[in-house]
Amino acid sequence: MICKLIGVPLQDGASQLGCEMGPSALRVAGLAGTLESLGHDVRDLGNVSVGAAMVMPHANQAIRNLGPVAAWTELLAEVAYRESDEGMPIFMGGDHALSAGTVAGVSRRAAEEGKPLFVLWLDAHTDLHSLQSTQSGNLHGVPVAYFTGRPGFEGYFPPLAAPVDGANVCMIGIRSVDPAERAALEETQITVHDMRTIDEHGVAALLRNFLERVSAAGGRLHVSLDVDFLEPSVAPAVGTTVPGGATFREAHLVMEMLHDSGLVTSLDLVELNPFLDERGRTALLLVDLMASLLGRKVLDRPTRSY
């Protein structure tokens, strides 16, 4: 498989600086070499960047960096559309605001192919705020609302070529939802599996049901993996830690099942903040997880001390 590594040094959507170093950390942790060892044709396309962005005032005075995040969204939608024509684009973030653009771009590609786009959202948060509802003003909390076509982004973010049907979005690992997001969820058909659901039913059964839906529909599958999906004790390099996340083993199981399905067509790796890491521990774990997603089995994984 052709794997395209695309660095997105975006940190304008987060409150804590450091995510812009995420692409470099993943490169230093050996992502390209690991995927090449599994037989993939790895092409590192370097980092994308935006120029000076216009200032965008908004009635919600809490919002920060609206102009830059809108510019990133427009750029990434084009990059994702272009690079999803062949192979698997892997977007190395960067904060989760990047998914507003990457999902918009691959959704446009899927629509042109006559296929539905499905999104697997692996995250502690739903990121379903609107520009009006966010109280923190951090725009890494709005991408799902944007790419599913919820109102309030007109005149700020670029128009969507193909909004994602909320019924095609599955969130796993959720454990921090603001009241405004809870109200928004009730208006959508998004599937949400919080950590209690995982505890009660196991992540395998929940993921299997979703993958069966993707397969039956003949859809494309975009996976968006936020570091805070994981338990902070195994993945400390994130500015939005929430206790009680997915374990090392649960995360690998998810990746192995995704590989076995053969359905994944594009991928985000987001919110890696190397400034908060411990000797590259989280970056190395993400590389290990990508190896599982792209074909390495448990018995083949070399021993590594985290």
Side-chain angles (χ1 to χ4, degrees), residues 15 64-65 67 83 161 168 210 214 258 273 279:
S15 61
R64 301 181 306 106
N65 301 322
E83 300 302 339
N168 292 348
F210 179 63
V214 179
L258 288 171
N273 188 333
R279 299 175 63 86

Side-chain angles (χ1 to χ4, degrees), residues 93-126:
D95 71 60
H96 221 158
L98 71 83
S99 297
T102 60
V103 176
V106 296
S107 183
R108 175 186 169 195
R109 172 66 61 191
E112 289 190 2
E113 294 175 347
K115 298 178 179 180
L117 178 70
F118 290 78
V119 177
L120 178 62
W121 196 258
L122 302 173
D123 198 331
H125 308 87
T126 61

Side-chain angles (χ1 to χ4, degrees), residues 38-123:
L38 295 170
H40 299 292
D41 178 2
V42 180
R43 305 176 186 179
D44 191 333
L45 305 186
N47 289 356
V48 295
S49 61
V50 295
M54 64 183 293
V55 175
M56 286 187 174
H58 193 277
N60 183 351
Q61 297 298 309
I63 291 179
R64 301 181 306 106
N65 301 322
L66 180 54
V69 172
W72 275 106
T73 301
E74 182 174 13
L75 171 67
L76 290 170
E78 288 300 319
V79 172
Y81 170 73
R82 181 181 70 238
E83 300 302 339
S84 58
D85 183 44
E86 177 189 28
M88 178 189 292
I90 300 174
F91 299 95
M92 306 181 296
D95 71 60
H96 221 158
L98 71 83
S99 297
T102 60
V103 176
V106 296
S107 183
R108 175 186 169 195
R109 172 66 61 191
E112 289 190 2
E113 294 175 347
K115 298 178 179 180
L117 178 70
F118 290 78
V119 177
L120 178 62
W121 196 258
L122 302 173
D123 198 331

Side-chain angles (χ1 to χ4, degrees), residues 11 14-22 25 95 140 226-228 231-242 270-283:
Q11 62 181 11
S15 61
Q16 191 158 357
L17 300 180
C19 284
E20 68 175 1
M21 299 184 288
D95 71 60
H140 63 180
D226 189 314
V227 172
D228 71 20
E231 166 57 38
S233 63
V234 299
V238 62
T240 52
T241 54
V242 183
V270 304
E271 297 288 348
L272 173 64
N273 188 333
F275 188 75
L276 304 175
D277 211 354
E278 301 168 358
R279 299 175 63 86
R281 177 183 179 190
T282 307

